[in-house]
């Protein structure tokens, strides 16, 4: 049901923006998957599985970047199968807070039977990589 799926995606996005990953896990299916594409030099890129996949991804990501600002979601677009959401993020490098990054991220979120089953993140991994190199983290 598209209106219910969109409502759930909006709820998940708001919880992620607040860092409430345990609450997101409760809305995530046991067989869920998160995919963050990127070069192997970025240790948080890859696939995460299970009900805690969103929390597991952000736990790894936040070893490198601290999210300092996520404004309201820019837009939602989608049909029954998948909904796309876009955000503008601001980060500082976790181990060198002098180095900052502003970028946009798009997420493809799939809801099945009222649960998050897949989230694919599409972001500017080149800027992430170069920022971490500048901060001498990689």
């Amino acid at each position: 049901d598209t209106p219910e799926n969109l409502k759930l995606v909006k709820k998940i996005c708001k919880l992620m923006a607040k860092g409430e990953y345990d609450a997101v896990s409760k809305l995530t299916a046991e067989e869920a998957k998160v995919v963050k594409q990127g070069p192997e030099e970025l240790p948080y890129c890859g696939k995460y599985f299970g009900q805690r996949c969103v929390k597991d991804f952000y736990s790894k990501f936040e070893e490198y970047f601290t999210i300092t600002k996520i404004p309201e979601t820019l837009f939602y677009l989608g049909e029954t199968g998948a909904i796309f959401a876009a955000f503008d993020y601001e980060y500082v490098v976790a181990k060198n807070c002098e180095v900052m990054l502003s970028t946009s991220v798009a997420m493809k979120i799939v809801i099945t039977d009222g649960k998050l089953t897949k989230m694919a993140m599409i972001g500017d991994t080149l800027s992430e990589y170069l920022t971490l190199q500048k901060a001498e983290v990689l």
Side-chain angles (χ1 to χ4, degrees), residues 92-104:
V92 294
V93 175
K95 296 176 182 169
N96 183 347
C97 293
E98 300 294 315
V99 181
M100 300 181 71
L101 171 66
S102 294
T103 189
S104 295

Side-chain angles (χ1 to χ4, degrees), residues 36-61:
K36 167 71 172 175
Q37 297 290 342
E40 62 185 38
E41 292 85 2
L42 295 176
Y44 50 84
C45 289
K47 296 177 182 174
Y48 300 79
F49 299 94
Q51 194 168 21
R52 293 173 37 98
C53 59
V54 174
K55 184 176 184 172
D56 291 346
F57 165 75
Y58 279 104
S59 293
K60 187 72 173 173
F61 182 83

Side-chain angles (χ1 to χ4, degrees), residues 36 39 42 44 61 65 91 93 99-104 123-135 138:
K36 167 71 172 175
L42 295 176
Y44 50 84
F61 182 83
F65 287 105
Y91 312 107
V93 175
V99 181
M100 300 181 71
L101 171 66
S102 294
T103 189
S104 295
D124 185 358
T125 54
L126 177 60
S127 291
E128 292 170 12
Y129 177 78
L130 293 173
T131 300
L132 290 174
Q133 275 201 322
K134 179 180 177 183
L138 292 180

Side-chain angles (χ1 to χ4, degrees), residues 61-79:
F61 182 83
E62 289 173 355
E63 290 176 23
Y64 296 89
F65 287 105
T66 301
I67 300 169
T68 57
K69 182 181 174 188
I70 307 173
E72 284 296 311
T73 306
L74 297 176
F75 69 85
Y76 296 97
L77 174 71
E79 300 176 8

